[in-house]
Amino acid sequence: MRDDELAEAVRLREAGSREEARALLLGLSERHPDDAEIAYQTAWVHDALGLEAEAVPFYERALAGTGLTAADRLGAFTGLGSTFRVLGRYDEALETFRRGLAEFLGDKALRTFMAMALHNSGQSREAVGTLLKVLAETEEVGRYRRAVAYYADHLDETV
């Protein structure tokens, strides 16, 4: 029953029926308050509906619990940090991204979202450096990889 309802809620969210998915997930969350997977999916649907403040406690419950796959745990860190950033809670966003990066070393998405929070918190130099490092790890940089990686740490350097 739980698995079927959860699968239906995810299907509804993915099909764009987010309000229906939210109603189903809120019921599941009420019946299974310690279920990290349900909490994560409930947070996700709230985010998808633009209900960021309501998503926060579900993300926190998901990360405090056990049973999430690594991909879902990474998604919960990314979602919670991004949600904090959108809410203007930059210190909490940065703390969340740092916690996520402690578990998922070097994850490019986490680092990219963290760069946005760094910028929002007035740390634009570190934000640009972070983005340059992420960019330097991609194939798109091509033959400029060494230069981009160098300038990530020496952004203000001139000759």
Side-chain angles (χ1 to χ4, degrees):
M1 176 107 171
R2 173 242 184 238
D3 291 345
D4 292 340
E5 286 182 82
L6 184 57
E8 176 64 7
V10 170
R11 187 194 68 71
L12 286 167
R13 187 198 72 236
E14 290 174 346
S17 299
R18 294 181 182 121
E19 286 293 349
E20 288 178 66
R22 178 177 180 253
L24 189 54
L25 286 161
L26 286 172
L28 278 167
S29 290
E30 195 171 297
R31 291 193 310 277
H32 304 277
D34 298 324
D35 190 308
E37 187 178 13
I38 290 170
Y40 173 57
Q41 293 299 330
T42 306
W44 189 343
V45 79
H46 279 87
D47 253 354
L49 285 165
L51 302 170
E52 287 85 0
E54 290 89 341
V56 169
F58 292 106
Y59 278 129
E60 289 174 332
R61 192 182 313 168
L63 288 168
T66 58
L68 288 181
T69 65
D72 284 351
R73 191 156 172 84
L74 175 59
F77 276 119
T78 307
L80 179 59
S82 179
T83 296
F84 278 144
R85 190 191 74 77
V86 167
L87 293 171
R89 296 165 62 178
Y90 306 130
D91 290 341
E92 291 166 285
L94 291 169
E95 171 60 25
T96 301
F97 292 133
R98 288 183 179 116
R99 282 179 44 218
L101 286 166
E103 283 188 41
F104 299 96
L105 302 174
D107 182 80
K108 289 181 178 96
L110 276 175
R111 289 164 54 210
T112 300
F113 279 97
M114 187 172 80
M116 290 183 248
L118 286 165
H119 168 75
N120 293 133
S121 67
Q123 301 175 65
S124 292
R125 185 180 188 288
E126 189 175 344
V128 171
T130 298
L131 289 175
L132 287 174
K133 287 176 184 175
V134 170
L135 182 63
E137 295 167 10
T138 67
E139 292 299 317
E140 290 77 12
V141 173
R143 63 187 175 140
Y144 300 104
R145 176 175 286 121
R146 263 183 75 198
V148 170
Y150 176 83
Y151 287 120
D153 292 323
H154 302 91
L155 196 55
D156 296 320
E157 186 176 290
T158 60
V159 289

